[in-house]
Amino acid sequence: MDLIKTIEESQKRPGAQDFNVGDTVRVYFKIIEGKTERVQIYEGIVLCKKNEGARQTFTVRKISYGVGVERVFPYNSPRIVKVDVIRPGKVRRAKLYYLRDKIGKDAKVKVRVGAKVKAEMEARNAAAAAAAAAKESATNEAK
């Protein structure tokens, strides 16, 4: 059992961003098409988080041309460049599958507000900036 945990710990992505279910996030995902690489931005509401450790995934839902589109991202994937929290959501559930049946204004999630939330968002942004700087310095040292 300890062997599995140590292997999973080594596979976790350092500096993974922290966000919650109900948050509106912008996921920067690296797409590889042949020899070219580009970063695609996917913005939507986090419906759920599943599993834990190296197997953790999260589902993001957005409305594209009037049709709901969901995408599942592996939390520790090396293809995720970064995840920005656009709006922190105020929810009382772990899974927001009920949003699939809602249309228009009903599909909105309330926004968390207050000084505590603001401090939390600033701490997240500072941690993400520090992780990006550490990643950039590691890349420069490798060259």
Side-chain angles (χ1 to χ4, degrees), residues 113-130:
V113 294
K116 185 177 178 182
V117 176
K118 187 175 181 181
E120 183 181 302
M121 292 290 288
E122 288 174 357
R124 282 184 190 172
N125 292 339

Side-chain angles (χ1 to χ4, degrees), residues 13 17 19-20 23-31 38-49 57-62 70-87:
R13 188 166 55 110
Q17 291 83 2
F19 51 89
N20 299 315
D23 291 352
T24 301
V25 296
R26 189 175 289 148
V27 181
Y28 293 81
F29 197 72
K30 194 182 301 180
I31 304 291
R38 64 186 176 89
V39 176
Q40 186 176 37
I41 301 171
Y42 194 88
E43 184 175 337
I45 296 175
V46 179
L47 285 187
C48 67
K49 284 184 172 182
T57 61
F58 61 98
T59 303
V60 180
R61 178 180 174 84
K62 73 175 184 176
E70 293 180 12
R71 186 160 180 190
V72 179
F73 294 99
Y75 192 77
N76 293 301
S77 172
R79 288 192 176 186
I80 292 180
V81 178
K82 66 178 177 175
V83 179
D84 286 341
V85 178
I86 306 301
R87 278 189 310 276

Side-chain angles (χ1 to χ4, degrees), residues 54-115:
R55 291 173 253 134
Q56 187 174 8
T57 61
F58 61 98
T59 303
V60 180
R61 178 180 174 84
K62 73 175 184 176
I63 305 297
S64 179
Y65 297 102
V67 179
V69 181
E70 293 180 12
R71 186 160 180 190
V72 179
F73 294 99
Y75 192 77
N76 293 301
S77 172
R79 288 192 176 186
I80 292 180
V81 178
K82 66 178 177 175
V83 179
D84 286 341
V85 178
I86 306 301
R87 278 189 310 276
K90 180 181 178 183
V91 294
R92 296 172 65 177
R93 298 170 183 254
K95 311 279 194 245
L96 303 180
Y97 296 136
Y98 69 90
L99 290 179
R100 294 174 176 164
D101 300 329
K102 304 290 184 182
I103 298 170
K105 278 189 169 180
D106 284 346
K108 286 190 175 183
V109 173
K110 289 183 180 179
V111 178
R112 280 191 312 152
V113 294

